[in-house]
């Protein structure tokens, strides 16, 4: 299809005006039009007509007979199309695969496909000007284009819609014809890092035969590339690096980029126990590290490699959150100073959906990090699956096109090309603050792990790999031929490096325990680790009423010079009334008072999730909109004072997995920020189950990392069906063990207020899962007085203070919303022999408090666990396993596969039946 066929529908007067503008000031014309006019200016010399623009349009659109047009002009136009062909499709015809022949793509770049022939090769064309060269022959133009676009680096960028970015890339590619140009010393430095990469793997392969290490062999050139990236980025002002990668090559990166002691690595291979009983640790190729380094030019930098599970791409979201936290804390006016680097596998980046979620965050206000450098260690196979069976897209990196990010495909055997591509990527990120991708094509020398047999599934490929020289041998031969090194240079490097490894191996075997270095230790200075018993100790979360009044004034007064819709005005006025007149504060007011009080004490607050600014149930209204302009007003920002914390709330993209991963990373790097992720409905948190299972519930146990992330999960049975009722409380409780997290289900605004404040006021951090209300948000029974906020504290349990304890025969235990249903039913039935105890904190379970409560009811002989969830859900199973002071009688729905009925009538009937069971010990469902 003719690329310029659109000209046929355009008006010639438009071109005339644009052409006149170009003649007067070429730089004022959009770059693609500027190139277009340049390509025809030189063809006009052979044309004698009076209207060159009409001539151009006619030639391009095919509306005139080409025989009437200068053959020279036609050829110039065809050369322009050839240039465009190389720019658009050249990457398909590169020499980037070190072990396979490239697939065949049609049409190719043969000149006959562009209306040219071998007879034109020696013809001089003015069209060369658009590639930055003086007029030259077609053969020279082709050679130039082939050198830039079809050698060891292929570049995809022509889909980018910003002309200034396209122009910048084309100019950048023109420097040295997109070919490396390193000094002798730089080449030796590349070779040195390449030797470290190769020698490290061969040493481990010899000393730990058959042990899993997920070696880098076949992708070793990433080591000199990362080294060069960090050195050059530091020169450009980057002060902190945050990197995430899966297991492939991780040990090599830890040793040769992050400087992790190989003694420690060898100790991990030897399987020694850990130096602490507090945590269980993780396998060696999942561990993280933070290191302070000095570059070769004396720049002091911090580099962080985040720990990660075997869920390969999960860590990508985490490092973006870590990066943003560091940017917000240290460099809020210059995000470029913290650089996120995400290292992917080819099968993972193509197959894992979280990549799409992460990439969609790249330019969003609440999640952007100033551009990420994505590097794919492309093994061309995923576990045992051939790449052709692993994706439908042409490239594993095609997800980059979502954000119109450039992609560089580079031959992993060419160390200089890889370093050159990395330099290009860094320059792009620093220039535009946008993502950029490098697809490093290599291979995997062994199977998925070192004990695997790859020839089971790729026999032909692995015959090729078995004979293939490693990148160090290839590069050493190149430098030897160039006279940069002599024949003994590499052997000297290898002997010196492996001698050091031998010494460290010997030293490591004298140690009896493995020491795990905490990740981001500086950020966690002053925090302590605690047991589940210590987690139950009381914390002072009181806040003087006069200070609460300051916060209330901020969040209860709309600016008088702006107009808001009537509902917003009434809602904010109602808040004012509840605090200053009726003293009946609801759930939303509790939130705002918690956030404001913490801010006035110097803590930051970050809330993110789907529709959190308003709140799914229209209760929060942390952000209100001016009626006519939709200007955003954040009332809590009316607070003033010294050392005032920041308040940030962001409506997220429609993502659970990626966003929760981001916020977990944010909390990991910012322990003095109350970091909250709220699910739109609690049920939706299962979209982030990997993050919950692999990070939130066990990150401290695996990696010694504390984290204070708060999950707000709306939960409650109100007849809205299976996807809008249960936050799957049972799943979180099943994950609870020892000292790993808090799980709460509050019934009063004041208790929620103190719970949020406790999260920041402790000298430790634990994830907090809160099952929050829906219908109770506006229930007139669910209110607290200002005094309860000012002088109270978080209550793990609430005894029933409305009954005569001597008269009580039935002692009911419950949690959350069901309490209000039970007490209403009790009042309707006039039952004075039933007491209802609320468990506000399910984990750690306050057993001693419950024991004391039970002792207050000497005549009780009927102990009930009551829940609105089915028997196989909710907290019942957890209570059976963790609470043996009494034998429970269950009052609940029977077991179901779906969490709730889709019929409102049926749901209401079942709910009523569960309530009846509370009061009738002979009733069973």
């Amino acid at each position: 299809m003719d690329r310029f066929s659109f000209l046929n529908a355009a008006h010639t007067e438009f071109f005339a005006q644009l052409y006149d503008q170009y003649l007067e000031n070429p730089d004022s014309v959009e770059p693609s039009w500027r190139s277009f006019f340049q390509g025809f200016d030189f063809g006009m010399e052979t044309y004698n007509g009076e209207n060159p623009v009409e001539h151009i349009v006619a030639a391009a659109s095919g509306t005139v007979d080409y025989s009437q047009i200068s053959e020279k002009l036609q050829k110039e136009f065809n050369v322009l199309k050839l240039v465009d062909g190389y720019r658009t499709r050249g990457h398909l015809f590169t020499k980037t695969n070190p072990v396979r022949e490239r697939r065949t793509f049609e049409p190719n770049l043969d000149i006959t496909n562009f209306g040219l022939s071998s007879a034109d090769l020696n013809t001089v064309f003015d069209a060369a000007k658009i590639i930055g060269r003086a007029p030259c022959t077609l053969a020279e133009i082709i050679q130039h284009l082939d050198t830039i676009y079809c050698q060891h680096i292929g570049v995809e960028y022509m889909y980018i819609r910003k002309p200034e970015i396209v122009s910048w890339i084309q100019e950048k590619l023109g420097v040295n014809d997109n070919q490396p140009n390193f000094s002798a010393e730089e080449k030796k430095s590349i070779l040195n890092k390449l030797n470290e990469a190769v020698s490290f793997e061969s040493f481990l392969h010899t000393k730990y035969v058959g042990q899993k290490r997920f070696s880098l062999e076949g992708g070793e050139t990433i080591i000199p590339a990362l080294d060069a990236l960090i050195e050059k980025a530091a020169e450009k002002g980057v002060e902190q690096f945050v990197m995430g990668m899966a297991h492939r090559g991780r040990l090599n990166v830890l040793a040769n980029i992050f400087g992790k002691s190989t003694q420690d690595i060898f100790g991990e291979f030897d399987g020694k126990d850990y130096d602490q009983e507090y945590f269980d640790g993780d396998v060696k190729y999942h561990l993280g590290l933070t290191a302070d380094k000095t570059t070769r030019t004396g720049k002091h930098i911090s580099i962080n490699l985040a720990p990660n599970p075997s869920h390969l791409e999960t860590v990508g979201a985490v490092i973006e959150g870590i990066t943003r936290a560091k940017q917000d804390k240290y460099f809020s006016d210059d995000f470029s100073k913290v650089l996120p680097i995400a290292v992917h596998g080819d099968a993972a980046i193509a197959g894992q959906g979280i990549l799409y979620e992460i990439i969609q965050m790249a330019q969003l206000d609440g999640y952007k990090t100033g551009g990420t450098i994505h590097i794919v260690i492309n093994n061309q196979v995923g576990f045992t699956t051939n790449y052709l069976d692993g994706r439908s897209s042409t490239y594993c990196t095609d997800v980059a096109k979502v954000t119109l990010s450039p992609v560089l495909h580079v031959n992993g055997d060419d160390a200089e090309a890889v370093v050159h591509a990395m330099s290009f990527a860094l320059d792009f990120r620093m220039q535009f603050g946008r993502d950029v991708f490098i697809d490093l094509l290599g291979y995997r020398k062994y199977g998925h792990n070192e004990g695997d047999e790859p020839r089971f599934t790729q026999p032909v490929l692995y015959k090729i790999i078995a004979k293939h020289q490693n990148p160090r041998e290839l590069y050493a031969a190149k430098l030897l031929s160039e006279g940069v090194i002599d024949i003994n240079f590499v052997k000297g490097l290898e002997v010196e490096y492996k001698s050091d490894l031998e010494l460290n191996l010997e030293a490591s075997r004298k140690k009896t325990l493995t020491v795990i270095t905490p990740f981001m230790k500086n950020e966690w200075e002053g925090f302590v680790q605690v047991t589940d018993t210590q987690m139950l100790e009381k914390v002072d979360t009181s806040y003087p009423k006069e200070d609460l009044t300051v916060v209330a004034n901020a969040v209860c007064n709309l600016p008088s010079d702006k107009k808001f819709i009537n509902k917003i005005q009434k809602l904010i006025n109602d808040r004012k009334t509840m605090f200053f007149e009726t003293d009946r504060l609801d759930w939303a007011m509790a939130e705002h008072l918690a956030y404001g009080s913490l801010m006035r004490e110097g803590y930051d607050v970050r809330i993110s999730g789907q529709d959190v600014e308003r709140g799914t149930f229209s209760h929060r209204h942390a952000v209100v909109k001016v009626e006519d302009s939709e200007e955003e007003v954040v009332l809590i920002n009316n607070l003033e004072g010294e050392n005032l914390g920041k308040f940030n709330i962001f409506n997220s993209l429609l993502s659970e997995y990626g966003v929760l991963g981001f916020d977990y990373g944010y909390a990991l790097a910012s322990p003095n920020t109350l970091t909250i992720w709220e699910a739109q409905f609690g049920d939706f948190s299962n979209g982030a189950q990997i993050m919950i299972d692999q990070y939130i519930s066990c990150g401290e146990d695996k990696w010694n990392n504390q984290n204070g992330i708060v999950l707000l999960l709306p939960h409650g049975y109100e007849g809205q069906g299976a996807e809008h009722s249960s936050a799957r409380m049972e799943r979180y409780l099943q994950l609870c063990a020892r000292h790993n997290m808090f799980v709460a289900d509050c019934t009063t605004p004041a208790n929620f207020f103190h719970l949020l404040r406790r999260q920041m006021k402790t000298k430790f951090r634990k994830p907090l899962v809160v099952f929050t209300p829906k219908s109770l948000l506006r229930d007139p029974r669910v209110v607290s007085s200002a005094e309860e906020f000012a002088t109270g504290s978080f209550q793990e349990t609430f005894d029933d203070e409305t009954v005569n304890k001597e008269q009580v025969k039935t002692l009911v235990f419950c949690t959350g919303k069901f309490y209000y249903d039970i007490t209403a039913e009790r009042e309707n039935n006039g039952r004075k022999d039933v007491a209802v105890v609320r468990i506000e904190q399910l984990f750690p379970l306050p057993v001693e408090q419950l024991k004391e409560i039970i002792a207050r009811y000497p005549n009780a002989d009927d102990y009930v666990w009551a829940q609105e969830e089915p028997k196989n859900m909710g907290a019942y199973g957890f209570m059976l396993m963790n609470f043996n002071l009494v034998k429970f009688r269950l009052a609940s729905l029977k077991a179901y596969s779906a969490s709730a009925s889709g019929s409102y009538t049926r749901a209401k009937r079942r709910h009523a039946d569960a309530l009846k069971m509370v009061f009738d010990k002979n009733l069973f469902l």
Side-chain angles (χ1 to χ4, degrees):
M1 188 178 195
D2 194 327
R3 174 172 164 77
F4 296 97
S5 61
F6 70 93
L7 293 171
N8 193 34
H11 199 283
T12 56
E13 187 175 342
F14 165 75
F15 294 109
Q17 293 172 353
L18 200 61
Y19 185 63
D20 288 341
Q21 181 183 338
Y22 160 75
L23 292 174
E24 185 175 336
N25 181 9
D27 290 337
S28 69
V29 178
E30 191 269 333
S32 61
W33 279 111
R34 185 165 65 244
S35 297
F36 180 82
F37 289 133
Q38 285 173 345
F40 283 96
D41 264 359
F42 18 80
M44 290 305 101
E45 296 175 7
T46 60
Y47 177 69
N48 297 320
E50 296 180 358
N51 193 332
V53 175
E54 288 185 3
H55 182 69
I56 292 170
V57 174
S61 61
T63 57
V64 299
D65 184 356
Y66 269 82
S67 63
Q68 299 176 9
I69 302 172
S70 160
E71 183 181 353
K72 181 66 164 47
L73 181 58
Q74 291 182 42
K75 296 289 186 180
E76 293 280 6
F77 185 77
N78 291 342
V79 173
L80 287 179
K81 290 196 288 185
L82 175 67
V83 171
D84 185 74
Y86 269 90
R87 287 172 170 174
T88 305
R89 295 174 54 78
H91 57 86
L92 296 170
F93 307 100
T94 54
K95 303 175 181 68
T96 50
N97 199 321
V99 290
R100 299 188 201 226
E101 291 294 323
R102 290 216 55 172
R103 285 182 284 172
T104 301
F105 296 95
E106 295 291 341
N108 59 28
L109 297 176
D110 189 279
I111 57 175
T112 57
N113 290 322
F114 299 92
L116 299 164
S117 70
S118 57
D120 300 310
L121 290 174
N122 293 319
T123 303
V124 174
F125 287 96
D126 289 332
K129 289 179 180 178
I130 71 164
I131 55 174
R133 296 174 68 87
C136 57
T137 66
L138 178 60
E140 291 171 316
I141 291 171
I142 292 170
Q143 182 180 11
H144 176 72
L145 293 171
D146 187 74
T147 302
I148 291 178
Y149 293 104
C150 298
Q151 296 302 306
H152 283 177
I153 303 175
V155 188
E156 290 185 274
Y157 68 96
M158 287 295 282
Y159 44 76
I160 295 174
R161 297 176 191 144
K162 290 184 177 291
E164 65 272 21
I165 295 179
V166 173
S167 179
W168 183 92
I169 291 173
Q170 289 174 350
E171 290 176 15
K172 193 78 173 174
L173 294 176
V175 177
N176 297 318
D177 289 353
N178 194 28
Q179 297 300 304
N181 183 26
F182 297 112
S183 68
E185 286 306 309
E186 288 172 325
K187 291 179 179 182
K188 288 179 181 178
S189 177
I190 292 171
L191 181 59
N192 179 50
K193 296 305 292 185
L194 198 49
N195 172 71
E196 291 176 3
V198 172
S199 299
F200 178 81
E201 298 294 353
S202 64
F203 186 85
L204 291 180
H205 193 64
T206 302
K207 301 298 182 181
Y208 296 99
V209 178
Q211 275 212 47
K212 286 184 184 180
R213 69 178 192 275
F214 296 101
S215 82
L216 187 57
E217 287 161 284
E220 296 98 327
T221 47
I222 195 175
I223 296 297
L226 286 172
D227 177 70
L229 171 65
I230 291 170
E231 291 284 332
K232 184 174 179 181
E235 291 299 308
K236 288 179 171 289
V238 176
E239 297 183 24
Q240 298 205 33
F241 300 80
V242 183
M243 185 171 167
M245 67 182 300
H247 44 259
R248 176 75 53 201
R250 187 183 191 85
L251 295 177
N252 209 314
V253 169
L254 281 167
N256 294 315
I257 297 298
F258 283 78
K260 180 172 180 174
S261 166
T262 51
Q263 285 189 34
D264 291 342
I265 293 174
F266 298 146
E268 292 157 12
F269 269 99
D270 289 331
K272 297 183 177 73
D273 201 358
Y274 301 106
D275 64 335
Q276 296 182 40
E277 283 294 325
Y278 187 85
F279 74 110
D280 284 338
D282 199 357
V283 289
K284 50 195 169 288
Y285 39 80
H286 287 171
L287 301 177
L289 188 71
T290 294
D292 294 319
K293 288 186 67 172
T294 302
T295 68
R296 288 188 283 275
T297 58
K299 303 286 185 182
H300 297 286
I301 58 171
S302 171
I303 54 178
N304 306 271
L305 179 62
N308 75 299
S310 282
H311 294 73
L312 304 177
E313 295 294 342
T314 309
V315 74
V318 175
I319 65 164
E320 298 297 344
I322 293 171
T323 300
R324 179 58 180 264
K326 287 176 173 288
Q327 290 167 335
D328 284 347
K329 183 175 181 179
Y330 301 116
F331 311 106
S332 58
D333 59 341
D334 187 359
F335 277 17
S336 72
K337 290 187 176 296
V338 188
L339 173 60
I341 305 166
V343 181
H344 312 273
D346 54 312
I349 194 173
Q352 296 292 298
I354 191 174
L355 255 301
Y356 183 85
E357 297 180 32
I358 295 168
I359 287 167
Q360 283 288 19
M361 297 179 194
Q363 296 298 321
L364 303 181
D365 283 345
Y367 309 91
K368 62 186 178 184
T369 55
T372 299
I373 294 180
H374 298 268
I375 307 162
V376 181
I377 300 178
N378 192 336
N379 300 311
Q380 308 186 56
V381 60
F383 196 177
T384 67
T385 302
N386 196 336
Y387 75 100
L388 291 173
D389 297 320
R391 62 178 186 266
S392 297
S393 59
T394 301
Y395 293 114
C396 63
T397 52
D398 280 348
V399 70
K401 296 179 176 67
V402 171
T403 47
L404 305 178
S405 301
V407 182
L408 292 90
H409 306 278
V410 57
N411 190 316
D413 269 359
D414 187 340
E416 289 187 16
V418 176
V419 174
H420 178 76
M422 194 73 84
S423 177
F424 178 100
L426 175 66
D427 289 344
F428 178 86
R429 187 266 181 179
M430 299 302 284
Q431 178 70 26
F432 296 106
R434 300 180 68 89
D435 287 9
V436 56
F437 289 71
I438 294 175
D439 177 18
L440 194 161
L441 276 102
Y443 52 92
R444 188 186 67 193
K445 186 173 182 179
Y446 303 106
H448 180 66
N449 59 64
E450 286 63 35
D452 195 22
E453 175 52 81
R455 289 177 296 176
F456 285 151
T457 48
Q458 280 89 21
V460 174
L461 174 62
Y462 274 87
K463 283 181 182 178
I464 297 170
I465 291 173
K467 300 174 184 177
H468 196 74
Q469 286 186 305
N470 69 50
R472 183 191 64 187
E473 293 170 334
L474 294 170
Y475 191 49
K478 178 178 184 294
L479 297 191
L480 189 63
S481 69
E482 293 175 359
V484 175
I485 61 171
D486 61 35
I487 198 167
N488 297 315
F489 186 83
V490 174
K491 192 62 180 174
L493 290 177
E494 184 176 17
V495 169
E496 181 181 357
Y497 184 76
K498 285 193 172 181
S499 296
D500 185 58
L501 294 180
E502 287 283 2
L503 291 173
N504 284 327
L505 178 62
E506 184 179 345
S508 76
R509 288 180 171 168
K510 294 177 182 177
K511 297 179 180 180
T512 58
L513 294 172
T514 296
V515 177
I516 300 298
T517 306
F519 179 59
M520 291 196 300
K521 185 177 181 179
N522 291 343
E523 276 82 353
W524 290 88
E525 195 73 38
F527 288 89
V528 298
Q529 292 176 318
V530 295
T531 64
D532 49 359
T533 302
Q534 291 169 303
M535 289 168 68
L536 285 164
E537 293 176 357
K538 288 294 183 183
V539 178
D540 182 7
T541 55
S542 62
Y543 195 72
K545 189 171 181 181
E546 58 268 27
D547 292 322
L548 285 172
T549 303
V550 173
V551 179
N553 273 319
V555 300
C556 293
N557 287 290
L558 290 167
S560 58
D561 60 337
K562 302 180 189 299
K563 184 182 179 184
F564 299 87
I565 65 172
N566 292 336
K567 285 185 177 181
I568 285 293
Q569 290 175 336
K570 181 179 185 306
L571 186 146
I572 302 302
N573 286 335
D574 288 347
R575 280 187 191 168
K576 196 170 190 176
T577 300
M578 74 174 64
F579 187 90
F580 293 100
E581 298 178 24
T582 63
D583 197 25
R584 292 169 59 83
L585 282 61
D586 67 4
W587 200 272
M589 196 64 185
E591 276 196 57
H592 288 294
L593 292 175
Y595 305 147
S597 64
L598 288 170
M599 290 167 63
R600 296 187 80 233
E601 292 173 328
Y603 298 101
D604 293 336
V605 177
R606 174 188 167 90
I607 307 171
S608 105
Q610 296 155 25
D611 309 290
V612 294
E613 294 178 5
R614 186 201 76 175
T616 299
F617 311 102
S618 294
H619 82 287
R620 181 173 294 122
H621 294 286
V623 178
V624 293
K625 299 285 186 76
V626 176
E627 182 173 2
D628 297 327
S629 65
E630 293 194 1
E631 174 192 349
E632 294 186 346
V633 175
V634 182
L635 294 177
I636 205 166
N637 285 339
N638 291 330
L639 284 172
E640 296 179 351
E642 295 182 4
N643 194 35
L644 187 68
K646 298 175 183 176
F647 180 82
N648 287 298
I649 186 165
F650 301 103
N651 285 342
S652 74
L653 63 160
L654 197 66
S655 152
E656 289 87 28
Y657 188 5
V659 171
L660 180 54
F662 185 102
D663 286 326
Y664 175 89
Y666 197 101
L668 190 61
S670 188
N672 285 318
T673 299
L674 178 65
T675 306
I676 297 173
W677 176 76
E678 182 177 57
Q680 192 171 69
F681 284 84
D683 321 54
F684 297 171
S685 63
N686 58 18
Q689 200 66 48
I690 291 172
M691 186 57 61
I692 294 161
D693 290 350
Q694 305 300 330
Y695 277 91
I696 291 173
S697 66
C698 58
E700 186 172 2
D701 200 30
K702 292 195 295 188
W703 308 313
N704 216 4
N705 295 337
Q706 294 190 53
N707 193 293
I709 184 73
V710 178
L711 277 61
L712 301 183
L713 309 178
H715 175 88
Y717 280 59
E718 286 109 354
Q720 296 187 59
E723 273 70 59
H724 297 94
S725 297
S726 174
R728 294 294 192 173
M729 185 183 296
E730 64 280 357
R731 295 182 180 174
Y732 294 92
L733 294 174
Q734 186 182 39
L735 293 170
C736 290
R738 299 193 346 175
H739 45 72
N740 67 332
M741 59 183 176
F742 288 109
V743 176
D745 190 3
C746 298
T747 57
T748 73
N751 219 29
F752 184 53
F753 167 88
H754 290 294
L755 179 65
L756 291 177
R757 283 183 53 76
R758 186 185 71 172
Q759 190 69 0
M760 291 289 99
K761 301 294 281 186
T762 59
K763 278 299 179 184
F764 60 89
R765 294 288 180 263
K766 302 288 180 182
L768 168 62
V769 178
V770 190
F771 301 102
T772 53
K774 296 179 290 185
S775 63
L776 298 187
L777 293 172
R778 292 174 181 80
D779 193 313
R781 297 170 296 174
V782 186
V783 292
S784 302
S785 67
E787 188 64 24
E788 290 176 277
F789 288 77
T791 60
S793 64
F794 178 70
Q795 303 299 306
E796 292 84 4
T797 59
F798 281 125
D799 194 2
D800 194 336
E801 304 301 340
T802 68
V803 296
N804 182 334
K805 291 178 171 51
E806 297 287 336
Q807 296 179 5
V808 170
K809 294 288 188 180
T810 297
L811 189 56
V812 181
F813 296 84
C814 68
T815 186
K817 167 183 166 289
F818 208 37
Y819 164 76
Y820 292 98
D821 300 330
I822 294 169
T823 53
E825 187 73 8
R826 179 179 65 180
E827 187 175 341
N828 291 337
N829 295 340
R831 294 287 295 271
K832 299 188 181 297
D833 62 333
V834 177
V836 187
V837 176
R838 286 170 278 174
I839 300 177
E840 301 280 291
Q841 178 173 290
L842 288 155
F843 193 84
L845 188 65
V847 175
E848 290 303 314
Q849 291 184 32
L850 292 171
K851 189 175 183 179
E852 292 175 8
I853 290 173
I854 292 169
R856 296 171 193 157
Y857 297 89
N859 298 314
D861 59 5
D862 179 27
Y863 300 98
V864 180
W865 176 260
Q867 64 179 42
E868 56 183 349
E869 302 88 354
K871 178 180 179 180
N872 57 323
M873 301 176 195
Y876 177 55
F878 170 81
M879 293 301 294
L880 285 181
M881 188 167 59
N882 294 278
F883 188 70
N884 58 9
L885 297 177
V886 297
K887 183 174 177 60
F888 281 132
R889 173 172 65 85
L890 176 64
S892 81
L893 311 182
K894 64 182 181 181
Y896 289 104
S897 55
S899 57
S901 170
S903 162
Y904 178 79
T905 301
R906 180 175 293 184
K908 189 175 179 180
R909 183 178 69 244
R910 287 178 178 175
H911 195 73
D913 289 342
L915 276 174
K916 290 176 185 175
M917 292 176 66
V918 174
F919 301 96
D920 186 350
K921 65 176 66 176
N922 297 312
L923 183 63
F924 299 95
L925 288 181

